[in-house]
Amino acid sequence: MARPTTPASPPPAPPRRFGRRRKAAGSGPGTAARFRETYTVARRHEPLILLWPLGGFLVLVGIGLAVGFAIDHVIIAPVIGAILGVLAALNLFFYRAQRGVYAEAADKPGVAVQVVRQMRGDWKITEAVQFNRNQEFVHRIVGRPGVILLAEGRSRNVRDLLAAEARRTRRIAPDVEVHEIVVGDREGDVPLIKLRSRLNRLPRALKKSTVRALDVKLKAVANTNVPLPKGPLPTRMPRGKMR
């Protein structure tokens, strides 16, 4: 008679040090490491990025000193000003750093989709419903504003892909609003850093219960499940799978 197998015991917890549990291996970089990485990327596009946070901190500390002398609280008011200065400096740093990070990633395919994935709300994303060999893509996003077609590419061909997908979407769902957006830095395009605010400003036309049904319908009728490889997008696409 075979012995019953015992379940494997869970791995031991990381040992504690000074009352705090050590970080488990493979759990990702810490806050300090992410801060350094963000600063390194942002500095390539804005070498004086630390001047804005430092200026904001000094201004609020100066205001705290002035208020402290005016109301005869030369300790409390400067301390409050320093705390507010630290918060303002961090906000200014991450705001300026975000511009550098977006500028660094602007030319990478699929970055616009990652921006949408980080947004709040119910966004149904289908990647690469249209594409070509030049790494130009049209992604479909279904949300409360309707259907959003998000194009990534620098040549004029990407607008042809966008128009073709817009016509097909309107045939399948004629009563739904279709928004066409090209991410880029040319005239008429939406810069990557402004994509989030552009999507948030779109008027809400669909109910939450309708979003999922519409996404299922578009996937079923349009048959847009493109077998893209995982990981980095390929530099060349086979001719047989072009739309």
Side-chain angles (χ1 to χ4, degrees):
M1 185 180 214
R3 293 183 180 180
T5 57
T6 58
S9 59
R16 292 177 178 268
R17 183 180 182 184
F18 300 112
R20 300 178 65 181
R21 180 169 295 178
R22 287 184 181 178
K23 190 175 181 181
S27 57
T31 303
R34 289 196 297 267
F35 185 88
R36 287 194 300 268
E37 182 180 358
T38 302
Y39 171 70
T40 301
V41 173
R43 190 177 58 177
R44 288 199 289 263
H45 299 271
E46 193 171 353
L48 303 179
I49 186 174
L50 291 181
L51 288 183
W52 287 91
L54 181 60
F57 174 78
L58 293 177
V59 167
L60 288 176
V61 170
I63 293 175
L65 285 171
V67 172
F69 281 108
I71 64 176
D72 198 19
H73 286 281
V74 294
I75 296 179
I76 297 179
V79 169
I80 295 176
I83 295 174
L84 296 177
V86 170
L87 295 177
L90 289 175
N91 287 329
L92 283 172
F93 171 78
F94 285 112
Y95 173 75
R96 305 295 298 188
Q98 187 183 49
R99 301 173 65 90
V101 171
Y102 279 160
E104 181 84 5
D107 296 333
K108 297 179 181 179
V111 175
V113 174
Q114 297 305 319
V115 172
V116 180
R117 291 190 190 280
Q118 296 174 4
M119 294 177 57
R120 295 181 179 180
D122 190 14
W123 304 95
K124 306 297 184 182
I125 302 173
T126 305
E127 299 184 34
V129 293
Q130 293 282 348
F131 65 96
N132 58 25
R133 291 183 299 166
N134 298 325
Q135 290 195 27
E136 295 176 329
F137 299 90
V138 175
H139 313 288
R140 186 181 66 237
I141 303 168
V142 181
R144 296 287 304 279
V147 178
I148 303 163
L149 300 179
L150 199 62
E152 295 180 299
R154 291 188 171 273
S155 71
R156 296 182 178 179
N157 295 331
V158 72
R159 294 191 177 274
D160 296 335
L161 296 176
L162 185 62
E165 183 61 27
R167 289 193 298 268
R168 184 170 64 171
T169 302
R170 290 188 175 99
R171 286 198 302 267
I172 300 173
D175 299 330
V176 177
E177 185 73 21
V178 178
H179 306 273
E180 303 176 34
I181 297 177
V182 179
V183 178
D185 52 6
R186 297 172 299 181
E187 184 178 359
D189 295 352
V190 177
L192 183 63
I193 194 172
K194 296 182 179 180
L195 177 60
R196 185 191 301 264
S197 60
R198 174 65 179 274
L199 294 180
N200 285 330
R201 289 199 306 267
L202 292 176
R204 273 35 180 176
L206 299 179
K207 297 180 179 179
K208 292 183 179 181
S209 58
T210 311
V211 172
R212 176 177 174 81
L214 177 60
D215 181 58
V216 171
K217 177 182 178 181
L218 289 173
K219 286 181 178 179
V221 178
N223 191 22
T224 56
N225 293 325
V226 181
L228 291 180
K230 300 296 182 182
L233 292 173
T235 56
R236 299 187 64 183
M237 297 291 179
R239 290 179 178 271
K241 293 187 179 181
M242 287 181 56
R243 291 176 181 264

